């Protein structure tokens, strides 16, 4: 334009963008097609010839799902390092590469899986232990409660046995059925105790209650025997013996016992003798 001013047309923008792309392509090299074989699968990738093997691995990961650090890229039978450029490695358009999984990564993966499994097992074991502890606590609580219920019933029966003992000691005759019923009630509580599964302190409490019930059984047996034979008591037996000894001493003394009044039958007999 006049005055020395330069005017840029609209088409110049497109030309400038094209120039940048051309410069970028020239700096990274021309695009080449790479045929990738991974297992039984075949893939095609496009990459600049000046890009590195490490950059190519990123594209391979997108196609195969195999992470770059687990890849081994082989070209013409040799493994290529990540920092090597494709052109430097001799790769050209339509070159073929083989991708294998790194055995080290397999071992690492196996170790990771093993660690995960171990952690899972430890977690399960902790949960099982916790569940077992909760279960043991619940069972222990049930055992304590069961023993406590039996103890309450035995307390009532102990009062029953005590009342029978007071009656027998006072000389009161007790019906045999009372002993049998009391013994039966005690036996029921003994069976309840036998059916309680307990450990630790609960087991000791159950054992103590069993001995307590057995003690009441023995007391009932003794009271029943005394009730059947009231003179079995040594004090009463001594009292009766003293009376018999007194009687015997009277018979053996030199002084005759005082004369007894004559009965009516004796008097009649004497009168008939006089008549004869």
């Amino acid at each position: 334009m006049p005055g020395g001013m330069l005017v840029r047309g609209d088409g110049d923008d497109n030309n400038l963008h094209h120039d940048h792309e051309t410069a970028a392509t020239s700096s990274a090299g021309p695009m080449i097609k790479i045929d990738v074989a991974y297992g039984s699968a075949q893939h095609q990738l496009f990459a600049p010839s000046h890009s590195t093997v490490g950059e190519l691995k990123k594209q391979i990961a997108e196609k195969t799902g195999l992470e770059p650090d687990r890849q081994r890229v082989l070209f013409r039978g040799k493994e290529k390092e990540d920092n090597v450029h494709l052109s430097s490695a001799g790769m050209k358009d339509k070159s073929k590469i083989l991708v294998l999984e790194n055995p080290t990564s397999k071992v690492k993966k196996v170790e990771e899986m093993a660690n995960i499994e171990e952690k899972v097992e430890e977690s399960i074991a902790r949960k099982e232990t916790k569940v077992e502890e909760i279960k043991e606590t619940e069972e222990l609580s049930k055992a304590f409660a069961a023993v406590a219920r039996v103890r309450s019933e035995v307390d009532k029966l102990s009062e029953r046995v005590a009342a029978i003992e007071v009656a027998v000691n006072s000389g009161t005759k007790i019906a045999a059925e009372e002993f049998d019923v009391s013994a039966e009630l005690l036996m029921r509580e003994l069976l309840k105790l036998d059916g309680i599964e307990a450990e630790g302190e609960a087991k000791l409490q159950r054992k103590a209650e069993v001995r307590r019930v057995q003690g009441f059984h023995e007391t009932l047996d003794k009271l029943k025997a005394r009730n059947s034979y009231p003179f079995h008591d040594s004090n009463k037996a001594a009292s009766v013996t003293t009376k018999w000894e007194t009687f015997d001493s009277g018979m053996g003394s030199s002084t005759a016992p005082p004369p007894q009044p004559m009965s009516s039958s004796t008097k009649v007999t004497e009168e008939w003798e006089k008549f004869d």
Side-chain angles (χ1 to χ4, degrees):
M1 289 186 66
M5 182 178 294
L6 297 177
V7 178
R8 180 164 53 89
D10 293 336
D12 293 339
D13 288 336
N14 295 330
N15 294 331
L16 182 61
H17 180 69
H18 178 72
D19 291 341
H20 281 298
E21 286 185 347
T22 304
T25 303
S26 60
S27 63
M31 296 294 290
I32 58 175
K33 183 180 75 171
I34 305 294
D35 293 326
V36 180
Y38 174 62
S40 60
Q42 299 290 328
H43 303 282
Q44 288 184 347
L45 299 177
F46 293 90
S49 60
H50 289 172
S51 59
T52 62
V53 173
E55 293 171 340
L56 182 64
K57 284 184 176 182
K58 294 179 181 178
Q59 293 190 53
I60 295 172
E62 293 177 359
K63 293 286 187 178
T64 63
L66 186 65
E67 296 298 326
D69 58 346
R70 294 168 55 192
Q71 297 177 22
R72 293 180 62 200
V73 175
L74 280 73
F75 179 63
R76 295 177 181 173
K78 294 183 180 181
E79 183 176 358
K80 302 302 178 180
E81 299 296 332
D82 290 356
N83 58 351
V84 175
H85 292 86
L86 303 185
S87 57
S88 301
M91 296 184 193
K92 300 178 180 179
D93 191 42
K94 298 182 181 179
S95 292
K96 295 182 179 179
I97 63 173
L98 175 65
V99 176
L100 301 176
E101 185 173 358
N102 193 336
T104 305
S105 67
K106 285 185 178 180
V107 174
K108 186 177 180 181
K109 184 177 181 181
V110 170
E111 291 177 350
E112 290 177 353
M113 292 299 296
N115 290 334
I116 292 173
E117 289 179 0
E118 186 177 354
K119 290 180 180 179
V120 170
E121 289 177 357
E122 289 177 355
S123 178
I124 293 173
R126 285 195 297 268
K127 288 181 180 179
E128 289 178 350
T129 301
K130 189 174 182 180
V131 170
E132 193 67 25
E133 290 176 353
I134 294 173
K135 185 178 179 182
E136 289 178 358
T137 303
E138 291 178 351
E139 290 178 353
L140 190 61
S141 299
K142 289 180 181 178
F144 276 123
V147 173
R149 286 193 295 270
V150 172
R151 186 185 299 113
S152 177
E153 294 300 320
V154 174
D155 288 342
K156 297 176 184 177
L157 293 174
S158 68
E159 296 176 359
R160 185 186 184 111
V161 174
I164 293 174
E165 187 173 11
V166 170
V168 172
N169 290 337
S170 64
T172 304
K173 183 71 174 179
I174 305 297
E177 290 80 4
E178 182 64 26
F179 293 97
D180 295 338
V181 171
S182 298
E184 176 65 24
L185 293 174
L186 286 170
M187 182 57 68
R188 290 181 182 177
E189 299 308 316
L190 201 60
L191 291 175
K192 290 180 184 178
L193 290 170
D194 187 60
I196 297 174
E197 295 183 2
E199 295 294 336
E201 181 63 25
K203 186 176 182 179
L204 294 177
Q205 290 189 15
R206 184 189 66 182
K207 188 175 182 180
E209 209 59 36
V210 168
R211 290 179 178 176
R212 187 169 171 234
V213 174
Q214 291 173 342
F216 288 136
H217 259 294
E218 292 175 0
T219 301
L220 276 178
D221 290 340
K222 293 177 182 178
L223 292 174
K224 187 176 182 180
R226 287 172 57 187
N227 186 66
S228 300
Y229 303 99
F231 294 116
H232 181 69
D233 186 75
S234 58
N235 295 328
K236 293 183 179 180
S239 176
V240 174
T241 303
T242 302
K243 292 180 181 179
W244 278 103
E245 286 175 351
T246 303
F247 176 78
D248 291 341
S249 62
M251 291 294 293
S253 64
S254 58
T255 305
Q260 299 294 327
M262 185 178 295
S263 63
S264 58
S265 60
T266 305
K267 186 176 181 180
V268 172
T269 303
E270 289 180 351
E271 289 178 354
W272 276 105
E273 286 176 350
K274 291 178 182 180
F275 177 78
D276 291 339

